Amino acid sequence: MLASVCAWYLGYMFADIVPEDSLSSAIENLQSIGEKPVLKAPPPKRQKCDHWSPCSPGSYAYRLLSGGGKEKFAKICFEDELLISEQKGNVGRGINIAIVNYKTGKVISTEFFDMWEGDFSGPMTTFIKKAPKGSLLLMVTHDDGSTRLNDDAKKAIAELGSKEIWNMKFRSSWAFIAAKGFNLPDNIKKEKINHSDNSKNRYNGWPAEIQIEGCIPVDLI
């Protein structure tokens, strides 16, 4: 009997001294003994140009995104560098083009050519033809890229390997990558188009944006 009273008294004094939250924490720790630890997967590592999976070593990463409606501007990314984007302030209505030195992977020049107002098919044709051999040309549309696109400009782009340039329509979303003076591998995505269709358009009067992405070996030339 005396032993029970002493044990009760000591327990009472211990509870009065030790804070309640410490006791609760100790009890939770005891209860968790024997439980299987919860393993959390690490967050996925960000890849170049926001690819889902990384390019193999010795490859360039690229991603081309056409514009969507008026507010979502086109983007061109190469080796994790935005060459054309709203953030850089060098994207515009029409056809946006970036020229990249294949050997160095560095941008040579960028430009956009309005195909709704003005006469910019001629300057765009000159811009394309002046691209040096051994360069990559990356092209995307924002808004309309066809209304004032003439046949000479279409031919210059078709000579780079485009098939869809002849099918461009009002506000078609279009993306294209080409090489000048050498050939890109057959297994990479080079071109994509999405036509405006009022019954299917994502935006009011505009089709959904499209993208192409992939990896280009660095030893083609």
Side-chain angles (χ1 to χ4, degrees):
M1 180 68 178
L2 181 61
S4 298
V5 172
C6 290
W8 173 84
Y9 180 75
L10 288 173
Y12 174 82
M13 292 295 293
F14 181 74
D16 190 53
I17 295 171
V18 179
E20 184 177 346
D21 57 348
S22 297
L23 284 173
S24 299
S25 177
I27 292 170
E28 288 176 2
N29 290 336
L30 288 171
Q31 289 175 339
S32 66
I33 294 175
E35 293 181 359
K36 292 183 179 180
V38 178
L39 299 177
K40 293 184 179 180
K45 181 181 178 181
R46 182 187 171 279
Q47 306 300 333
K48 290 180 179 179
C49 292
D50 293 324
H51 280 203
W52 283 107
S53 56
C55 289
S56 60
S59 297
Y60 292 127
Y62 69 90
R63 181 172 180 257
L64 289 74
L65 179 69
S66 72
K70 281 187 174 181
E71 305 303 325
K72 295 189 175 182
F73 288 87
K75 293 180 182 179
I76 294 178
C77 178
F78 190 83
E79 272 299 275
D80 217 26
E81 180 183 355
L82 279 175
L83 307 184
I84 289 178
S85 69
E86 182 183 12
Q87 295 94 315
K88 294 194 68 130
N90 62 348
V91 61
R93 181 175 61 187
I95 297 178
N96 295 261
I97 305 176
I99 300 175
V100 173
N101 183 311
Y102 172 76
K103 280 294 189 181
T104 65
K106 300 299 182 182
V107 64
I108 297 173
S109 56
T110 65
E111 190 59 82
F112 67 87
F113 301 90
D114 193 342
M115 292 296 148
W116 175 248
E117 292 182 325
D119 183 11
F120 297 103
S121 277
M124 186 179 74
T125 302
T126 300
F127 182 77
I128 291 170
K129 290 186 173 181
K130 283 187 175 181
K133 288 185 177 181
S135 60
L136 296 167
L137 290 91
L138 303 91
M139 309 183 191
V140 287
T141 54
H142 176 70
D143 197 345
D144 179 46
S146 69
T147 298
R148 300 186 68 85
L149 181 66
N150 66 27
D151 284 348
D152 286 342
K154 290 179 181 180
K155 184 179 179 182
I157 295 172
E159 288 174 349
L160 294 171
S162 172
K163 302 292 191 298
E164 299 292 354
I165 193 65
W166 298 106
N167 300 322
M168 286 274 282
K169 299 177 182 178
F170 178 63
R171 287 181 176 169
S172 292
S173 292
W174 175 71
F176 175 58
I177 182 170
K180 191 169 185 180
F182 64 103
N183 296 319
L184 293 175
D186 293 334
N187 63 343
I188 71 169
K189 187 69 175 178
K190 303 179 186 71
E191 188 171 27
K192 192 173 182 180
I193 196 167
N194 185 26
H195 299 299
S196 178
D197 183 337
N198 287 332
S199 66
K200 300 178 181 178
N201 284 342
R202 175 177 295 176
Y203 308 102
N204 185 21
W206 285 269
E209 59 270 53
I210 58 170
Q211 72 173 26
I212 57 174
E213 66 179 39
C215 309
I216 301 174
V218 300
D219 57 357
L220 296 177
I221 56 175

